[in-house]
């Protein structure tokens, strides 16, 4: 008969829980459930409404390129305070291949995570990790970035943190999937124009959120991560360490001085 990997008790397979490599008896599973309470019980009965909605919005925005300039995180717009662009730029994509691969990965990981979290918390997860990953990319590269890649790697990081506690995480993270995600993460470092900071930032945020959900007072570290992302977004509007930002600020000062100079005649007011 199968043996529990924790206490060593033998029991029939139908009374054990988990995959065959990590079977646990009912008492051990209950003990973990008491400590590592999920946000909600995982069930595929919930339709992945948020996943479907985000996929539809991403496809629609790709087909309407005229909107991209209004939604992408251009440096000057961010420095002027339009920080909402960190959220909207997540739904933009640079090419059909970029769109297809991101949506396939988002669909693969997102359905079960949304079912486990529920619609509201999953939407919050997407927004937090999307904004955080894009802010990390912006702070390091000072350039526009687009795509769901940061959110995809956040989902991967979350599942990686949960894979010893949640059967659905173990099932999603088959060895070949894990290898593909890590190999692609490394290959992207060799490619020009890839938002690597968004990938690593998303993975880090997702992993930390996954670890946080395993604590009794999960809201404390989660609130801390929200504050970290807020600080990153705030820092993106004031970057005196960056040469491009300093040059832009100097140009703005010159323009302001020119416009406010008394020798500049103002048009008469009727």
């Amino acid at each position: 008969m199968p043996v529990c990997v924790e206490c060593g008790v033998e029991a029939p397979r139908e009374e054990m829980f988990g995959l065959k490599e990590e079977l646990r008896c009912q008492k051990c599973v209950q003990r973990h459930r008491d400590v590592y309470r999920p946000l909600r019980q995982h069930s595929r009965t919930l339709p992945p409404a948020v996943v479907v909605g985000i996929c539809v919005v991403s496809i629609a925005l790709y087909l309407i390129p005229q909107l991209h300039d209004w939604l992408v995180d251009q440096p000057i717009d961010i420095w002027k305070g339009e920080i909402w662009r960190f959220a909207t730029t997540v739904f933009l994509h640079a090419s059909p291949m970029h769109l297809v691969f991101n949506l396939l990965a988002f669909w693969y990981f997102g359905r079960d995570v949304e079912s486990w979290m529920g619609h509201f918390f999953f939407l919050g997860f997407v927004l937090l990790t999307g904004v955080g990953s894009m802010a990390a990319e912006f702070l390091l590269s000072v350039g526009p970035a687009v795509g769901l890649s940061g959110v995809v790697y956040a989902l991967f990081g979350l599942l990686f943190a949960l894979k010893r506690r949640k059967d659905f995480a173990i099932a999603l993270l088959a060895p070949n999937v894990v290898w593909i995600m890590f190999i692609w993460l490394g290959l992207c470092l060799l490619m020009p124009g890839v938002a690597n900071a968004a990938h690593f930032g998303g993975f880090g945020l997702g992993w930390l959120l996954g670890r946080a959900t395993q604590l009794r007072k999960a809201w404390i570290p989660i609130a801390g991560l929200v504050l970290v992302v807020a600080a990153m977004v705030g820092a993106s509007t004031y970057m005196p360490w960056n040469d491009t930002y300093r040059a832009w600020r100097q140009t703005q000062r010159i323009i302001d001085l020119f416009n406010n100079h008394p020798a500049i005649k103002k048009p008469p007011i009727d």
Side-chain angles (χ1 to χ4, degrees):
M1 286 192 295
V3 178
C4 176
V5 296
E6 292 198 18
C7 66
V9 170
E10 292 185 356
R13 178 64 182 86
E14 57 270 17
E15 296 179 9
M16 305 288 274
F17 297 85
L19 299 181
K20 62 180 181 180
E21 297 85 1
E22 295 189 1
L23 290 175
R24 289 179 171 83
C25 66
Q26 187 172 359
K27 289 184 178 180
C28 290
V29 169
Q30 187 60 48
R31 183 171 66 252
H32 284 301
R33 282 177 178 170
D34 291 340
V35 177
Y36 302 104
R37 288 191 294 272
L39 300 179
R40 62 175 291 121
Q41 191 67 29
H42 174 256
S43 171
R44 265 295 180 86
T45 58
L46 280 176
V50 177
V51 171
V52 172
I54 289 175
C55 290
V56 170
V57 169
S58 298
I59 294 171
L61 289 176
Y62 183 78
L63 298 176
I64 312 175
Q66 296 83 356
L67 295 177
H68 288 199
D69 288 342
W70 297 88
L71 302 175
V72 74
D73 57 339
Q74 292 286 359
I76 292 178
D77 298 312
I78 295 296
W79 293 335
K80 288 181 178 179
E82 297 181 10
I83 55 176
W84 50 265
R85 290 173 178 264
F86 284 132
T88 56
T89 195
V90 170
F91 307 110
L92 306 179
H93 291 84
S95 68
M97 185 177 295
H98 187 210
L99 176 69
V100 169
F101 278 108
N102 273 354
L103 292 189
L104 286 176
F106 182 67
W107 178 264
Y108 176 77
F109 291 131
R111 290 173 299 162
D112 284 306
V113 174
E114 182 177 353
S115 180
W116 173 61
M117 286 186 176
H119 306 314
F120 178 78
F121 285 113
F122 182 70
L123 180 60
F125 174 86
V126 170
L127 292 176
L128 179 65
T129 57
V131 169
S133 60
M134 286 303 178
E137 179 67 29
F138 187 87
L139 288 170
L140 289 179
S141 67
V142 191
V146 295
L148 278 164
S149 305
V151 177
V152 167
Y153 268 99
L155 288 167
F156 177 58
L158 175 82
L159 293 167
F160 201 78
L162 296 175
K163 68 186 181 71
R164 293 187 179 276
R165 302 298 178 189
K166 305 298 176 190
D167 286 349
F168 74 93
I170 299 172
L172 287 173
L173 294 186
N176 60 324
V177 174
V178 174
W179 277 109
I180 288 172
M181 294 299 290
F182 278 126
I183 289 174
W184 182 248
L185 190 65
L187 288 176
C188 286
L189 293 172
L190 306 176
M191 302 179 187
V194 177
N196 291 299
H199 294 171
F200 282 95
F203 178 83
L205 276 173
W207 186 85
L208 290 171
L209 286 168
R211 297 293 296 176
T213 63
Q214 300 174 27
L215 304 176
R216 288 187 180 274
K217 295 183 178 179
W219 68 271
I220 296 177
I222 291 175
L225 289 173
V226 172
L227 291 176
V228 169
V229 171
M232 292 167 61
V233 172
S236 68
T237 63
Y238 182 69
M239 302 171 59
W241 65 86
N242 182 269
D243 293 338
T244 306
Y245 175 82
R246 290 200 301 270
W248 175 78
R249 284 296 298 266
Q250 185 63 32
T251 301
Q252 289 298 114
R253 292 191 190 98
I254 295 173
I255 292 173
D256 292 340
L257 288 173
F258 179 81
N259 290 335
N260 297 324
H261 196 279
I264 303 298
K265 294 182 180 180
K266 302 296 190 294
I269 299 176
D270 293 335

